[in-house]
Amino acid sequence: MHTSPDPASGPFEPVPATGGGTPPSACSGNRFRGCSSRQTTAVLLLVFGGFLLPVVGWLLGLALWIPARGWSVRAKMAGVLVWPVAALGLTVTSAATYWLVLPLGDPLSAIATSLFLLVPSSWFLLLLLAAWALLGACNRGARR
């Protein structure tokens, strides 16, 4: 495939080298990592919905996730548990920081506060990895 400009298409749209092929834009559609937009929405609501709209967002994601096709039962169970485990982990680390370390006073409380500020960002990265893994597992259950 070469990318020579074609007057009928935009300046950055690739043009197939042979006449028999279809343009990549027609093949890919609106898929992300092999998942449809509905499947992607289900994963994002399931993983991040509980933090955007506490509990209700996760329940909405769950309502889309359970009937969604394309995942194995194992991947579905993992997806169901992502948000509750992350919320529990964030709660436990926050409680441990505030109830165990902060009463010790300076300088330990200053260090604990600095580490505590890193906790949500590290959980967010773990949630991003979980969402990425769930999106990658899409349609693997159907292929087996």
Side-chain angles (χ1 to χ4, degrees), residues 9 18 23 27 32 36 41 50 52 54-56 59 63 67 75 77 91 101 106 110-111 120 129:
S9 65
T18 60
C27 295
F32 180 74
S36 69
T41 303
L52 298 174
V55 182
V56 175
L59 290 173
M77 289 305 297
T91 303
V101 179
D106 289 332
I111 293 170
L129 286 174

Side-chain angles (χ1 to χ4, degrees), residues 67-134:
R69 295 183 181 164
W71 285 277
S72 65
V73 173
R74 192 174 177 187
K76 285 212 179 212
M77 289 305 297
V80 167
L81 294 175
V82 167
W83 182 77
V85 169
L88 181 66
L90 188 58
T91 303
V92 167
T93 55
S94 300
T97 301
Y98 278 114
W99 290 332
L100 299 176
V101 179
L102 289 181
L104 296 177
D106 289 332
L108 290 177
S109 65
I111 293 170
T113 302
S114 299
L115 290 175
F116 175 72
L117 293 175
L118 293 175
V119 168
S121 60
S122 61
W123 280 101
F124 181 72
L125 288 175
L126 288 174
L127 288 173
L128 279 176
L129 286 174
W132 189 259
L134 287 173

Side-chain angles (χ1 to χ4, degrees), residues 5-67:
D6 184 16
S9 65
F12 299 108
E13 205 168 308
V15 177
T18 60
T22 58
S25 59
C27 295
S28 61
N30 57 359
R31 301 182 79 75
F32 180 74
R33 290 202 68 175
C35 295
S36 69
S37 58
R38 182 181 172 99
Q39 291 170 324
T40 304
T41 303
V43 169
L44 292 177
L45 271 176
L46 190 70
V47 174
F48 298 108
F51 293 107
L52 298 174
L53 189 63
V55 182
V56 175
W58 178 72
L59 290 173
L60 289 173
L62 199 60
L64 287 175
W65 176 253
I66 296 292

